[in-house]
Amino acid sequence: MPRLPLLALAAAAIIAATILLTLALRRALAARRLAAQMQLAASGEHAAERFLVAAGFTIVARQHTLRATMHINGRVAEYDVRADFLVERSTPGGPELALVEVKTGDAADPRTPATRRQLREYAALYDIDRLYLFDASANRLHEIEFPC
C-alpha cells in the first residue's frame, strides 16, 4: 500500500478520536455544571427552610406542584407549576398562606426577567395571601407584590 493513503488514514483516525474525545469532555463538563447547580439549589432551599422556620413560618409543602391550564388556539393545554415552598404564618388577622420561591446568584434579583415572569405566574395561579422570593445568596426574604 502506498505511503500517502496510510498517512491520510492515520490523520483521519486522529481527527475522529479528537472529535470523540472533545464531545465526551463537553458532556462531562455539562454534567458537572448541572450537578453543581443542583447542589447549589438544594443548599439554597435548605437555607430558606431554616430561615422561614426561624421567622415563624410553618412549612405546609415543599416543591408544591399545581396543575394549570391555558388555551392554545382554542384547545386546552395543561402544564405543571412547581413552587419551592408553601408556608403559613399566624397573624392578628388569622393565618396567612404564602408561597416562597428560592433563588441564588443573579436569579435572586426579582427584576431578572425569568424570575419576574415566574413570580407573576405564581401570583396569578396560586390562591395565596403573600408571595416571597428568598435570596439564598444573601439569606434575605423579599415580599413581592404586583399592583394591578
Side-chain angles (χ1 to χ4, degrees):
M1 192 182 252
R3 194 175 171 153
L4 191 57
L6 284 175
L7 287 174
L9 188 59
I14 290 170
I15 290 170
T18 302
I19 289 171
L20 289 174
L21 184 61
T22 300
L23 290 174
L25 185 58
R26 282 186 181 171
R27 279 193 297 271
L29 288 173
R32 185 179 230 177
R33 276 192 301 272
L34 180 61
Q37 287 173 341
M38 292 181 75
Q39 183 177 357
L40 181 62
S43 173
E45 288 178 15
H46 291 302
E49 187 166 351
R50 287 189 304 271
F51 181 96
L52 293 166
V53 169
F57 290 95
T58 300
I59 307 296
V60 175
R62 293 168 188 79
Q63 297 297 314
H64 184 270
T65 302
L66 178 70
R67 192 86 163 145
T69 59
M70 66 179 160
H71 293 195
I72 303 173
N73 297 323
R75 291 189 154 167
V76 174
E78 294 185 338
Y79 62 100
D80 291 333
V81 176
R82 182 172 300 128
D84 290 324
F85 294 99
L86 284 181
V87 297
E88 191 174 76
R89 180 162 57 177
S90 295
T91 69
E96 285 188 345
L97 183 65
L99 182 148
V100 180
E101 182 62 19
V102 180
K103 297 289 183 193
T104 58
D106 292 341
D109 183 344
R111 295 167 296 195
T112 302
T115 300
R116 185 185 66 240
R117 284 191 291 270
Q118 185 179 19
L119 293 169
R120 271 205 170 272
E121 184 175 41
Y122 290 155
L125 293 174
Y126 277 87
D127 184 18
I128 53 175
D129 301 305
R130 303 241 183 251
L131 175 63
Y132 295 101
L133 175 67
F134 182 78
D135 179 347
S137 302
N139 205 41
R140 186 166 178 215
L141 189 65
H142 300 282
E143 183 175 355
I144 307 297
E145 296 179 81
F146 294 102
C148 295

